[in-house]
Amino acid sequence: MKNLIIATALATTALSSAAMAEGITEFRIGILGGENAQDRMNSNECLRAYTQDLLGVETKLFAPADYNGVIQGLLGGTLDMAWLGASSYAAVYLQDPEAVEPVLVKINLDGSFGYHSIGFARKDSGITSLESMKGKVFGFGDPNSTSGYLIPSIEIPQTTGSTMENGAYFGEVKFTGGHEQTIVAVNNGDVDGGVTWADGQGNWEDGFNSGALRKAVDAGLVDMNDLVEIWRSKPIPEGPVVLRKSLPQDVKDKMIALVDGLHEADADCAYGVAAGESLGFNPIGHDAYVSIIEARKAKSN
C-alpha cells in the first residue's frame, strides 16, 4: 500500500475519482510479445493496478500472441499505451505518424539506453560462431521485432557475405514466433541457433541484467551454462514507451510521471515491467528512432 501511495503521488496531485482522467472511460495497455501471455500479464499487473488507481478508470492489459497485435491495436486506437521495440514503433509510425508518441525509454544500469541482438546456440552443439552455423537451422523471433529480426537480418549478412534465404548460408531460416520461443527452441535443439534481445551487461549466467534471456532464466526455462553466445549486434536504441497521441494531455502527463517514477516507488514492479534490472525510464523522443525507421523502410522496399 505504501508503494501505491508513493507511485500515485509521483504522478502529481491527490487522487479523487474518474474526474482525474477526464475524457476517457478506460485505459488499455498493450504488452508486446516476448514471453508467454500469462507471464507478461503477471509482470505488468502492478502497473495496471497503479494506473487504475491513478486515473480512476478501469485499466486493462492486452497481451496479443504476436507483435502485430499490439501494432494494430495502437493504429486502431484500441490501445492507449505500450512499450514497443524500436522496429515496432517504426511500423506504427510508417503507417500513421499521428497514432502514437514516444515518451519514455528504459535506462540500463550504466546509464545507456541501448541493447543488443544476441546470437546464441547450445554449448554442447559445438557451435561457437556464425561460421560454425553454416548449413544449420537458424531461428528468428517475430518479423516485427528489432533484435529478433530487423537488425540481425541486416547485420548478419554483412558478416557472412550471404543472404538469409534458406540454403544460401544457413541450411534453413525460420520464425519461431517470439523471443521466448526462440530461446526454448535453441535450448531444446529444435533450431541450432537463434537471436534474442539483451542489454549485454552483467553476467552471462544470469541472462545479462535485462532482456529476454534474463526473463527466461527468472522463469526457470533455461540454464545459461547450457548456452553460448555466437554473435552480437551493434548497439540498438531501446524501444520506447508510447502513448496514443489523441489522449487528453492530463492523462499523458500522469502516465509519464507514473512510469518515470516507478523504479523509485516500487523496484519489484519496475523489474517486471522493464524485463530485469534497470535504472527505470527516462524521457525520449521520436528523433532517437529515425535510423530504425529508415532501416525498416529500406527492408520493406
Side-chain angles (χ1 to χ4, degrees):
M1 187 62 185
K2 184 179 77 172
N3 282 335
L4 182 56
I5 293 170
I6 294 170
T8 52
L10 281 167
T12 73
T13 72
L15 291 177
S16 56
S17 65
M20 290 291 292
E22 188 175 349
I24 64 171
T25 56
E26 67 175 3
F27 194 84
R28 301 147 300 191
I29 302 171
I31 312 170
L32 214 58
E35 57 183 330
N36 72 76
Q38 191 56 55
D39 284 348
R40 282 183 278 157
M41 300 285 274
N42 292 344
S43 294
N44 287 272
E45 169 56 24
C46 55
L47 177 61
R48 186 208 65 78
Y50 285 151
T51 301
Q52 181 163 298
D53 197 66
L54 171 67
L55 299 181
V57 297
E58 185 175 7
T59 299
K60 299 176 181 177
L61 298 176
F62 293 90
D66 59 19
Y67 282 40
N68 195 50
V70 173
I71 290 169
Q72 295 306 317
L74 291 168
L75 287 169
T78 58
L79 292 177
D80 299 304
M81 185 175 88
W83 178 21
L84 296 177
S87 183
S88 296
Y89 169 65
V92 174
Y93 179 82
L94 288 170
Q95 292 176 73
D96 183 0
E98 297 303 312
V100 301
E101 57 186 289
V103 292
L104 295 165
V105 68
K106 179 183 78 77
I107 302 299
N108 297 323
L109 294 184
D110 69 349
S112 67
F113 64 90
Y115 70 106
H116 298 272
S117 174
I118 302 290
F120 64 104
R122 280 195 63 88
K123 186 179 289 185
D124 59 13
S125 69
I127 298 169
T128 57
S129 64
L130 288 179
E131 187 176 5
S132 50
M133 269 291 294
K134 191 170 186 179
K136 300 187 182 299
V137 181
F138 180 91
F140 281 131
D142 186 292
N144 285 302
S145 172
T146 319
S147 56
Y149 174 64
L150 179 63
I151 294 302
S153 75
I154 294 170
E155 291 190 12
I156 287 177
Q158 293 171 354
T159 300
T160 63
S162 183
T163 72
M164 297 296 292
E165 297 297 319
N166 285 336
Y169 185 85
F170 301 107
E172 183 183 1
V173 178
K174 58 171 66 174
F175 282 100
T176 65
H179 289 293
E180 183 177 287
Q181 293 96 319
T182 301
I183 294 168
V184 170
V186 171
N187 194 53
N188 290 348
D190 298 327
V191 298
D192 297 301
V195 283
T196 190
W197 80 279
D199 61 5
Q201 300 178 20
N203 300 316
W204 172 261
E205 55 265 31
D206 297 329
F208 299 112
N209 288 337
S210 66
L213 291 168
R214 180 61 172 254
K215 295 289 278 185
V217 169
D218 287 350
L221 294 176
V222 293
D223 181 339
M224 292 297 291
N225 293 308
D226 295 334
L227 304 175
V228 62
E229 181 176 330
I230 62 171
W231 176 80
R232 181 179 295 208
S233 73
K234 299 170 186 173
I236 303 167
E238 181 64 78
V241 173
V242 301
L243 290 168
R244 184 164 55 86
K245 270 194 179 181
S246 58
L247 283 169
Q249 190 60 47
D250 179 60
V251 173
K252 293 181 193 177
D253 292 343
K254 286 176 173 56
M255 290 310 300
I256 291 169
L258 176 62
V259 178
D260 189 27
L262 192 59
H263 181 70
E264 287 185 6
D266 187 341
D268 290 339
C269 180
Y271 184 97
V273 172
E277 296 176 23
S278 73
L279 295 180
F281 292 83
N282 279 359
I284 197 77
H286 170 79
D287 289 351
Y289 302 103
V290 171
S291 63
I292 299 295
I293 291 169
E294 291 305 314
R296 182 165 181 126
K297 191 189 297 183
K299 193 76 180 173
S300 63
N301 290 340

